């Protein structure tokens, strides 16, 4: 998956959102005017949902395994889970309370005066199939599958999630040589699943048409007349809940719920049309990942939320209890309402996977409270399907926003990427999406970025003024960082209390303002090489201005992150190489500050041992696979190596190739700064033996998948340097 500048808009009729909207409208019309015929259309919606559901379990497994294996730490995993459950409990409790409040204010069942003795409870038994909600012990035991195959066969998400968590933790703990290979296979399998999903999504408009036609034809006008007030109350309560939740999430994460809904409009429209949130789970997972949420958080929060964070269902349950009591002429006391909320807080957690779960929960709650006959629950048989859209949309949105919240709390939300994606200034070019790439091949290379005015070559810049030593420059007030992270786009947002410092240098403008903030109690600087808008290609980076600007602000150590290609296939993609030697093949001439004086600089050991040691320790602490030492060959770019060059580099015994370590390392040495290259292996260059050759898409995909973890390790390393 790559991120690119927004492309030209495709024709409106090719938009999945428009196609699904047309399908829903056609389904409503068919259900109203041809209700008898609409009965025969149910298989269209059911078939589409089944096609998606057959992929949900393997997808959850693959996403969770890759996310956990890259997190590595069981403690970090436990923190994510604990915070997710805390957020789920708070949201569900608030949703239940809101339903009770709306029920008291609107009183949707008042005046119906129904005699419960006239109700047929047998229809209720048929709806629930005699099921009951599991108790506490049963619920926990049901999470443990009889066998792994059984969990996948029954599509039991909690059981699949348990196995995936155990598998991911075990994968993170095995041999460093085996892990990257197996993880790469799992990652590629995940792309295969996403590709299958993209095929199935061609059928989404047909599925939405069939599901909506059946619903309207069987439950539409007559049910709406009888239960209009209850339906309006439920939908109104859901709107209030979403508005309050949106404000809370905006304050915590900065996420605009409206922009997120616009970003995922196809998924929400499809969920509304089919009445199933599982039908869009694969697409939602991928979009959350693309919007800056770390995969480990997405993989845990989304499937767990399907059982523990049913906000829409919570509103419906508590409001329905009020409706039923009012319909049979019973006024519930405050104590009884509190009891109802307490019971539903527990029972709503076990609803997933139980046939007729809403009716089971309502029946169990009515029996426990004893204020009105359980048979009264049968009143809702005609209205329940009308609530599906509200429940599905609210549940889905609640889980998506919960993912942003947990990611933000754990420092695993790339806020800059999130804002860019939601605002539409950065879009996901997904090679797995056959709707975007009808040729079914990899995404075409985007055109090379246009040079930026700020990134003109440094050749011809005025030399350093002789009357002022390089170390005499006075840093502006507040620029008190001694360690800098030099990286690519995606590192913004990693520092607290961040402030930007524009710096004018004798060599022109740096790639961007230097950002200085706090991380782990230390002041740290950050500078992007490629510019805030990602518009500076490697060969146009003004390295002299970048390094001089950091030195001017008081930086003494540079941790330089860079993508790299490995020549040895045994060095897995996702490995981090911290080289101790360098070969320059860039041919650059803007690689010194001493243009007008005869100075010799020792460069036998191009990288600083203390700076390297700090990086290696932090990376290993974060459970990265780390190669300590090696030779990095620096090329100029933007082109990748030829096959002959790649073979020659490998024959020399060199380990990785990248575009940025030189001249950065040499310039840092001239200014007396410690410099460490932290090279993330994104590919295997163009050696013939690898199935993972270099491409722009592959490089960006690996950066997107690993940036959050890598920057956290670099921040921890920065905190140990002085």
């Amino acid at each position: 998956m790559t991120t690119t500048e927004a492309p030209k808009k495709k024709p409106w009729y090719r938009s999945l959102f428009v196609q699904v909207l047309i399908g829903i409208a056609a389904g409503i019309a068919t259900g109203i005017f041809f209700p008898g015929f609409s009965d025969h259309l149910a298989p269209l919606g059911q078939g589409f949902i089944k096609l998606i559901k057959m992929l949900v379990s393997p997808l959850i497994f693959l996403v969770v395994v890759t996310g956990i294996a890259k997190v590595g730490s069981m403690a970090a995993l436990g923190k994510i889970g604990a915070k997710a459950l805390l957020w789920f409990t708070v949201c569900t409790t608030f949703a239940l309370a809101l339903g009770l409040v709306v029920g008291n204010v609107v009183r949707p069942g008042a005046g119906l005066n129904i005699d419960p003795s006239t109700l047929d409870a047998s229809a209720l038994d048929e709806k629930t199939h005699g099921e009951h909600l599991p108790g506490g012990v049963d619920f926990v035991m049901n999470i443990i599958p009889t066998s792994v195959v059984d969990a996948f066969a029954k599509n039991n998400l909690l059981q699949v999630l348990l196995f995936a968590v155990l598998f991911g933790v075990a994968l993170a703990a095995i041999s460093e040589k085996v892990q990257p290979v197996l993880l790469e296979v799992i990652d590629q399998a995940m792309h295969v699943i996403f590709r299958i999903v993209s095929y199935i999504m061609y059928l989404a408009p047909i599925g939405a048409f069939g599901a909506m036609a059946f619903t309207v034809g069987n439950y539409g006008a007559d049910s709406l007349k009888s239960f209009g007030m209850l339906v309006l109350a439920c939908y109104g309560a859901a709107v209030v809940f979403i508005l309050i939740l949106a404000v809370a999430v905006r304050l915590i994460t900065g996420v605009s719920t409206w922009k997120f809904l616009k970003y995922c409009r196809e998924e929400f429209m499809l969920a509304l049309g089919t009445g199933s949130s599982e039908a869009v789970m694969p697409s939602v997972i991928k979009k959350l990942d693309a919007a800056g949420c770390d995969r480990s958080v997405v993989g845990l929060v989304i499937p767990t939320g399907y059982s523990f964070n049913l906000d829409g269902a919570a509103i419906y349950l508590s409001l329905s209890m009020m409706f039923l009591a009012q319909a049979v002429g019973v006024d519930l006391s405050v104590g009884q309402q509190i009891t109802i909320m307490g019971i539903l807080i527990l029972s709503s957690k076990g609803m997933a996977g139980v046939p007729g779960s809403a009716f089971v929960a309502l029946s169990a709650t009515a029996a426990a409270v004893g204020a009105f006959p359980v048979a009264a629950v049968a009143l809702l048989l005609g209205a329940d399907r009308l609530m599906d859209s509200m429940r599905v949309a609210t549940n889905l949105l609640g889980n998506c926003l919960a993912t942003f919240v947990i990611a933000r709390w754990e420092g695993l939300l790339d806020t800059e990427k999130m804002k860019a994606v939601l605002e539409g200034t950065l879009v996901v070019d997904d090679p797995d999406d056959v709707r975007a790439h009808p040729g079914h091949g990899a995404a075409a290379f985007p055109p090379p970025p246009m040079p930026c005015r700020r990134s003109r070559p440094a050749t011809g810049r005025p030399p350093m003024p002789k009357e002022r030593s390089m170390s005499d420059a006075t840093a502006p007030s507040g620029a008190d960082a001694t360690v800098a992270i030099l990286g690519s786009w995606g590192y913004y947002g990693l520092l607290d209390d961040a402030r930007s410092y524009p710096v004018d240098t004798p060599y022109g403008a740096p790639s961007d303002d230097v950002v200085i903030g706090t991380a782990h109690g230390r002041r740290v600087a950050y500078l992007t090489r490629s510019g805030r808008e990602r518009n500076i290609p490697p060969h146009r980076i003004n390295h002299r201005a970048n390094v001089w600007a950091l030195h001017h602000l008081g930086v003494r150590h540079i941790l330089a992150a860079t993508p790299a290609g490995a020549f040895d296939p045994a060095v897995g993609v996702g490995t981090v190489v911290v080289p101790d030697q360098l070969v320059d093949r860039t041919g650059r001439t803007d690689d010194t500050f001493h243009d007008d004086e005869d100075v010799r600089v020792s460069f036998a050991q191009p990288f600083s041992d203390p700076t390297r040691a700090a990086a290696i320790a932090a990376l290993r602490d974060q459970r990265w696979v780390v190669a300590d030492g090696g030779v990095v060959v620096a090329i100029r770019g933007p082109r990748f190596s030829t096959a002959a060059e790649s073979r020659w580099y490998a024959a020399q015994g060199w380990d990785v190739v990248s575009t940025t370590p030189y001249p950065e390392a040499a310039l840092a040495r001239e200014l007396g700064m410690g410099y460490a290259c932290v090279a993330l292996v994104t590919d295997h260059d163009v050696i013939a033996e690898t199935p993972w050759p270099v491409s722009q898409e592959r490089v960006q995909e690996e950066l997107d998948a690993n940036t959050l973890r890598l920057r956290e390790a670099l921040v921890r390393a920065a905190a140990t340097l002085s």
Side-chain angles (χ1 to χ4, degrees):
M1 183 185 302
T2 63
T3 49
T4 64
E5 298 300 322
K8 293 181 180 179
K9 288 187 177 181
K10 57 187 176 183
W12 63 270
Y13 55 84
R14 292 187 58 191
S15 166
L16 179 62
F17 174 76
V18 172
Q19 292 173 0
V20 171
L21 192 61
I22 292 173
I24 291 174
I28 292 173
T30 302
I32 293 174
F33 296 110
F34 307 100
F37 175 68
S38 65
D39 282 342
H40 303 292
L41 299 177
L44 295 179
Q46 294 167 355
F48 173 75
I49 293 172
K50 289 179 71 175
L51 283 171
I52 292 292
K53 288 178 71 173
M54 76 176 180
L55 301 174
V56 168
S57 288
L59 179 62
I60 291 298
F61 172 77
L62 296 170
V63 170
V64 172
V65 167
T66 54
I68 291 176
K70 290 179 179 180
V71 169
S73 169
M74 193 65 181
L77 186 64
K79 285 175 61 180
I80 294 173
K83 290 180 179 179
L85 291 177
L86 174 62
W87 178 261
F88 293 163
T89 301
V90 171
C91 289
T92 304
T93 302
F94 175 70
L96 288 168
L98 180 62
L100 292 175
V101 170
V102 172
N104 280 291
V105 173
V106 178
R107 298 185 62 81
L112 293 181
N113 300 319
I114 294 174
D115 182 359
S117 64
T118 63
L119 297 174
D120 182 11
S122 62
L124 184 62
D125 293 334
E126 183 180 344
K127 179 73 174 179
T128 61
H129 303 288
E131 293 282 351
H132 65 280
L133 295 179
V137 175
D138 289 339
F139 179 74
V140 174
M141 294 302 295
N142 287 342
I143 296 177
I144 304 173
T146 304
S147 69
V148 173
V149 175
D150 185 63
F152 281 90
K154 293 181 177 178
N155 222 25
N156 189 311
L157 294 189
L158 287 182
Q159 293 181 355
V160 172
L161 181 62
L162 174 64
F163 176 64
V165 168
L166 295 175
F167 193 97
V169 171
L171 180 60
I174 63 175
S175 166
E176 291 187 353
K177 290 186 177 181
V178 176
Q179 185 202 88
V181 177
L182 187 54
L183 195 56
E184 179 67 19
V185 172
I186 293 173
D187 189 64
Q188 293 302 314
M190 183 174 64
H191 286 292
V192 172
I193 296 294
F194 278 127
R195 175 57 66 92
I196 297 173
V197 170
S198 71
Y199 293 146
I200 297 173
M201 291 304 288
Y202 276 117
L203 303 175
I206 299 174
F209 165 73
M212 187 56 70
F214 176 78
T215 300
V216 174
N218 284 268
Y219 305 101
D222 292 337
S223 296
L224 194 57
K225 291 176 184 177
S226 303
F227 301 98
M229 186 58 70
L230 175 61
V231 172
L232 289 175
C234 279
Y235 278 82
V239 170
V240 172
F241 175 82
I242 290 171
L243 290 175
I244 295 174
L245 181 64
V247 172
V249 172
R250 183 63 179 264
L251 293 174
I252 296 171
T253 67
V255 172
S256 166
T257 300
W258 172 250
K259 290 179 180 178
F260 177 74
L261 287 171
K262 185 178 178 182
Y263 171 58
C264 290
R265 58 188 179 274
E266 292 93 351
E267 287 73 20
F268 279 93
M269 186 57 66
L270 184 57
L272 288 170
T274 60
S276 171
S277 51
E278 283 187 337
V280 296
M281 184 190 284
S283 298
V284 165
I285 286 175
K286 198 162 195 179
K287 283 200 169 181
L288 287 169
D289 187 16
C293 294
D294 189 79
R295 187 173 296 171
S296 62
V297 178
V298 177
L300 281 176
V301 173
I302 291 296
T304 307
Y306 271 67
S307 288
F308 291 93
N309 192 38
L310 304 175
D311 300 326
I315 293 171
Y316 169 69
L317 290 174
S318 59
L319 187 50
S320 293
M321 287 297 295
M322 296 299 298
F323 168 81
L324 293 173
Q326 294 161 6
V328 297
V330 174
D331 286 327
L332 295 173
S333 67
V334 174
Q336 288 173 320
Q337 293 182 39
I338 293 175
T339 301
I340 287 173
M341 189 166 73
I343 295 172
L344 289 177
I345 287 174
L346 298 176
S347 61
S348 63
K349 300 295 184 286
M351 289 175 58
V354 178
S357 56
F359 291 97
V360 175
L362 289 170
S363 299
T365 306
V369 175
F372 56 85
V374 174
V377 177
L379 279 172
L380 294 171
L381 288 173
D384 182 71
R385 185 60 182 86
L386 298 176
M387 310 294 186
D388 265 0
S389 294
M390 180 277 292
R391 288 193 297 247
V392 166
T394 309
N395 291 344
L396 179 60
L397 181 60
N399 286 324
C400 290
L401 296 181
T403 304
F404 283 109
V405 171
I406 306 307
R408 180 69 179 87
W409 281 349
E410 285 300 294
L412 296 174
L413 175 63
D414 189 335
T415 53
E416 287 294 323
K417 184 179 180 183
M418 175 267 293
K419 291 177 182 177
V421 170
L422 296 189
E423 289 173 0
T425 58
L426 198 68
V427 297
V428 177
D429 180 20
D430 183 4
D432 295 326
D433 184 1
V434 295
R435 298 176 66 88
H437 302 284
H440 298 187
F445 268 59
M450 294 297 293
C452 174
R453 290 183 61 192
R454 301 186 63 168
S455 60
R456 291 193 299 268
T459 303
R461 295 289 186 189
M464 178 72 66
K466 290 186 177 181
E467 64 272 14
R468 185 178 67 181
S469 166
M470 295 178 191
S471 60
D472 291 339
T474 302
S477 175
D480 50 356
T482 59
V483 183
I485 296 172
L486 191 56
S488 302
W489 189 94
Y491 281 70
Y492 292 103
L494 82 167
L495 303 173
D496 296 325
D497 305 320
R499 176 184 168 189
S500 294
Y501 292 85
V503 181
D504 292 325
T505 83
Y507 303 95
S511 298
D512 196 9
D513 295 345
V514 179
V515 177
I516 297 180
T518 304
H520 299 288
R522 290 292 306 275
R523 299 288 286 171
V524 179
Y526 169 68
L527 177 62
T528 177
R529 301 185 186 94
S530 53
R532 191 175 293 261
E533 303 299 328
R534 303 182 76 184
N535 54 359
I536 306 178
H539 66 293
R540 305 289 291 182
I541 295 173
N542 192 343
H543 292 287
R544 289 201 291 189
N546 288 346
V547 176
W548 192 95
L550 294 175
H551 181 265
H552 172 70
L553 294 176
V555 169
R556 295 197 294 267
H557 295 274
I558 296 177
L559 295 163
T562 184
F567 302 121
D568 183 355
V571 179
V573 170
T575 300
V576 177
V577 178
V578 185
D580 57 0
Q581 277 299 327
L582 179 148
V583 174
D584 170 30
R585 296 286 299 171
T586 65
R588 300 187 73 117
T589 58
D590 55 337
D591 55 353
T592 180
F593 294 112
H594 303 290
D595 283 335
D596 58 345
E597 52 187 336
D598 187 9
V599 175
R600 299 292 186 269
V601 179
S602 174
F603 202 50
Q605 304 300 325
F607 302 112
S608 163
D609 286 339
T611 313
R612 288 184 63 255
I616 292 169
L619 288 162
R620 286 178 172 165
D621 184 59
Q622 295 290 301
R623 303 300 299 272
W624 283 90
V625 178
V626 182
D628 180 359
V631 180
V632 56
V633 54
I635 61 175
R636 183 161 185 170
R639 72 169 180 85
F640 297 120
S641 307
T642 67
E645 288 171 334
S646 189
R647 288 194 298 269
W648 182 61
Y649 298 156
Q652 307 311 305
W654 303 336
D655 299 286
V656 291
V657 59
S658 186
T659 58
T660 58
Y662 193 87
E664 286 177 354
L667 294 168
R669 175 59 54 85
E670 288 188 2
L671 297 182
M673 304 165 73
Y675 180 94
C677 172
V678 180
L680 172 68
V681 175
T682 58
D683 55 84
H684 288 147
D685 207 47
V686 287
I687 54 177
E689 296 82 2
T690 179
W692 303 295
V694 66
S695 69
Q696 185 167 336
E697 286 75 23
R698 168 160 291 282
V699 171
Q700 192 59 54
E701 181 178 345
E702 289 300 320
L703 288 177
D704 287 343
N706 291 285
T707 290
L708 287 173
R709 283 187 64 224
L710 185 58
R711 78 182 197 182
E712 175 62 21
L714 293 176
V715 166
R716 291 180 180 273
T720 65
L721 289 165
S722 59

